[in-house]
Amino acid sequence: MTGITATTRVQLVTTIGLCFLVALMEGLDLQAAGIAAQGMAAAFGLDKMQMGWVFSAGILGLLPGAFVGGWLADRIGRKKVLMASVALFGLFSLVTAVAWDYHSLVAARCLTGVGLGAALPNLIALTSEAAGPRLRGTAVSMMYCGVPLGAALAAVIGIIGFSGGWKVVFYVGGVVPLLIVPLLGRYLPESAQFQADQSGGERSEANGVWHGLFRNGAASATLLLWLSYFFTLMVVYILVNWLPSLLVAQGFDARQAGWVMLALQLGAAVGTLALGALMDRLPAWAMSLLIYLGILGSLTALGMAVTLPAMLAAGFVAGLFATGGQGVLYAFTPLFYPTRMRATGVGSAVAVGRLGAMSGPLIAGKMLALGTGTAGVMLASAPGIVLAAAAMFCLSRRGGSRQAD
């Protein structure tokens, strides 16, 4: 962090640290439904398609949450929207734990998703703007590694198997975010770039969202980002939501499945940091090839592995490239939008990615209902990864011509 003042350094460390805590809780809640799936299905008598809707309800909430959260942040500030988002997903995580029937469970997951979706664009915008262009990739990766670590924490809770059963992970995912909100209010600095733009009159036009996403040559970057987000998140959420159940169906017990999920999320944390560091050193096109070839290889390994050690290794590599690559996407996206549109641009890409994330568990549930098994689900994911790789490669060849302030 050479070349920045002591005050700026303190603000950057504080921003990364607090945003990391939020990302940790976001990761825990995103993984919670997958970890609790067996217990929820037994408690409410749900079949595979109904569980697919429980998974997808949370992701459905992420879609409007991401877009509206980004849009509001460009108007009233990143900090205010982030605090409201964290309070929202904490509250409805608690409601998930006390849901009384299938419909209340789906509604609670959907509203939890709204809060989670609104938080992420603000985490990315706050961190990237605090870091500046030179440190942006590293800073966003350091913050975002909280997501897989939070998911790993959820896996640990599942492995330990507290007496509270499947509800424990939702109690943790509800109480801790509500405790974080006052810390954000007291210590999190608002984005200096956002404040400068506001004081200078550089406000986003209320009716100019689509114009800002597609004007002045931005259309191709926006569309390529959307395509890459859609298919990358589709695969990530198939793994996050269905992998524990797929492993149980293959003959592994719930504890072994928990260990594989822990390996997946530890790989994701390592991948987020390692790939984020490589992003500052390798050309973007090389990063694209590395990430998506890694995803394809790990999906193949997951479909073929039959022993626990092989599945643990495959899970680690899948997390490294799939979630780690997702972190690189999040660090890459702010480069293509100016401050007054940054949270909106990131939020729109995240929202489109959530469409892929929502469709993934539903497609996997349908394929499993048809009897395709784990290998069939992994094989069906491959074409989407090829399309995401092509989109990211084309975008990276633009060379950051729209790198923002």
Side-chain angles (χ1 to χ4, degrees), residues 186-405:
R186 176 66 179 86
Y187 297 108
L188 180 66
E190 178 58 276
S191 164
Q193 288 187 26
F194 172 79
Q195 291 178 319
D197 272 17
Q198 294 293 290
S199 62
E202 294 291 330
R203 302 174 188 270
S204 297
E205 301 85 355
N207 297 318
V209 172
W210 296 107
H211 185 50
L213 292 175
F214 293 98
R215 68 182 178 184
N216 299 330
S220 59
T222 294
L223 292 173
L224 288 169
L225 283 167
W226 287 4
L227 184 63
S228 191
Y229 269 69
F230 181 92
F231 286 108
T232 303
L233 268 72
M234 181 183 77
V235 171
V236 168
Y237 277 79
I238 287 175
L239 294 175
V240 166
N241 286 304
W242 273 114
L243 189 55
S245 298
L246 290 172
L247 292 169
V248 171
Q250 283 182 266
F252 297 98
D253 61 36
R255 189 175 296 271
Q256 289 173 322
W259 280 110
V260 175
M261 293 307 296
L262 179 60
L264 179 88
Q265 299 303 342
L266 291 176
V270 171
T272 300
L273 291 172
L275 294 174
L278 283 176
M279 185 180 174
D280 293 331
R281 294 167 175 79
L282 291 180
W285 64 266
M287 288 297 301
S288 303
L289 287 177
L290 174 64
I291 289 166
Y292 289 104
L293 286 175
I295 293 174
L296 284 172
S298 62
L299 289 177
T300 302
L302 282 172
M304 297 177 62
V306 293
T307 65
L308 181 60
M311 192 63 77
L312 287 169
F316 182 88
V317 176
L320 193 151
F321 286 107
T323 305
Q326 185 183 351
V328 170
L329 268 180
Y330 290 148
F332 194 50
T333 306
L335 300 175
F336 291 88
Y337 299 102
T339 302
R340 66 182 180 276
M341 282 295 299
R342 183 165 294 134
T344 302
V346 172
S348 70
V350 171
V352 171
R354 299 312 183 187
L355 287 174
M358 182 176 65
S359 65
L362 287 175
I363 292 170
K366 183 64 174 177
M367 294 188 68
L368 289 171
L370 294 173
T372 60
T374 303
V377 172
M378 298 304 165
L379 182 62
S381 303
I385 288 301
V386 172
L387 287 173
M392 190 65 175
F393 185 79
C394 291
L395 186 64
S396 65
R397 297 298 290 174
R398 292 165 57 94
S401 59
R402 279 187 52 84
Q403 285 196 13
D405 51 306

